[in-house]
Amino acid sequence: MPVRQHLHDSLLLGDDDTPLARMRLRDDDDGTAVAADVRPLPEAPLTRLVAQVRRDLAGHRLETPDEALAAALVADGLKLDRAATDMRHDLTGVPEPVALPDGWSLGAPGWDDDLAAGLDAAYGPDHPDGRWQPSDTEEVRAMFDTGEPVPPLVPASARLIDPDGRSAGHVLCAGPVPWTDDDCVWILNLGVAPRAQRRGFGRALLVHALRGAREVGLPSVGLSVVDGNPARRMYDAVGFRVLTRVLTVRIPDA
């Protein structure tokens, strides 16, 4: 099929070679084509950019910090898949470890049936991040078994262990990771089973991750929090700052 437009140097060009937007093109681990950090250039008409995106980036997952572009794509009939905020902690003013109740502890990271059941219950159908999926379990198992797509960063990861020795939550980190421009530790998942929630364990796991990141010498910790996730208050409270917004729209195949 003839291609009239050009994609080069991270520029999306109009048919007349007018630059319309900057972006980073990559493929996800699952093979999905991604147009990341799409930023309209000054004076680029949104209606023209939307039409060019729909044609030239068909089949891509588009990620943009630009609210106006995301709104224009939605107005053109597409669906906003995810609205989230990327955050960073610069590892200054890291809190002291959180004291846990008698019998509770933070143990070595890993995966077991108790943890799988706890996260399945924690990420129910009404959770802003969506339900925990079998593919999520498979991905975590692969990280521990084969180191793919990224290996766990052990010093910054941990399981929450209850007085009966059962897993009741975890924080899972990796780093550095290939999807960020900076060499940061990335918090892939932080979850606590419903039976252990509202007791400060989420903060204990988060502080463990920060201190582990500092221990290995990486300069910051990053995460992405979806709009509506109550954990955002906890991230703000321990010193995370907003890096950028990430609005995700899937561009249908032509």
Side-chain angles (χ1 to χ4, degrees):
M1 183 175 67
V3 178
R4 297 174 58 198
Q5 75 284 352
H6 304 283
L7 290 171
H8 64 82
D9 296 333
S10 299
L11 287 176
L12 177 63
L13 305 179
D15 293 338
D16 59 356
D17 287 343
T18 300
L20 299 176
R22 293 189 179 277
M23 72 191 79
R24 298 196 313 271
L25 297 176
R26 59 178 172 82
D27 289 331
D28 251 358
D29 295 316
D30 62 2
T32 301
V34 180
D37 198 27
V38 180
R39 298 175 183 264
L41 293 171
E43 311 303 326
L46 272 180
T47 52
R48 184 180 180 193
L49 176 55
V50 166
Q52 206 78 30
V53 162
R54 294 200 64 151
R55 188 176 65 188
D56 299 352
L57 298 179
H60 284 66
R61 187 178 75 231
L62 182 145
E63 300 173 351
T64 180
D66 193 278
E67 302 270 358
L69 174 57
L73 289 167
V74 170
D76 198 53
L78 302 186
K79 180 184 176 183
L80 182 66
D81 273 358
R82 191 173 191 266
T85 301
D86 276 5
M87 307 184 77
R88 292 290 188 276
H89 196 294
D90 297 325
L91 299 178
T92 57
V94 175
E96 291 297 313
V98 176
L100 300 181
D102 288 345
W104 292 81
S105 62
L106 297 184
W111 189 255
D112 56 33
D113 291 342
D114 286 329
L115 185 52
L119 293 180
D120 182 65
Y123 290 90
D126 297 328
H127 195 280
D129 281 314
R131 190 163 192 92
W132 188 265
Q133 300 291 336
S135 58
D136 297 321
T137 293
E138 292 170 5
E139 185 171 353
V140 174
R141 285 191 184 278
M143 288 178 62
F144 284 105
D145 292 344
T146 67
E148 296 293 339
V150 288
L153 185 64
V154 171
S157 304
R159 281 181 303 132
L160 174 66
I161 310 298
D162 72 10
D164 296 325
R166 298 170 54 203
S167 300
H170 79 159
V171 61
L172 179 61
C173 299
V177 292
W179 56 81
T180 63
D181 292 330
D182 52 338
D183 290 334
C184 69
V185 172
W186 192 262
I187 297 179
L188 295 162
N189 183 237
L190 193 162
V192 176
R195 61 188 174 87
Q197 291 178 2
R198 302 183 185 279
R199 302 183 64 178
F201 293 134
R203 181 183 173 94
L205 289 164
L206 181 59
V207 170
H208 174 87
L210 296 175
R211 298 180 72 83
R214 190 171 63 182
E215 175 186 326
V216 300
L218 287 171
S220 63
V221 174
L223 57 81
S224 177
V225 56
V226 71
D227 288 5
N229 190 335
R232 170 65 188 272
R233 296 191 295 271
M234 178 175 66
Y235 302 143
D236 290 333
V238 300
F240 277 83
R241 60 177 174 82
V242 172
L243 180 67
T244 187
R245 291 280 288 154
V246 181
L247 307 169
T248 304
V249 179
R250 292 188 182 271
I251 311 301
D253 290 328

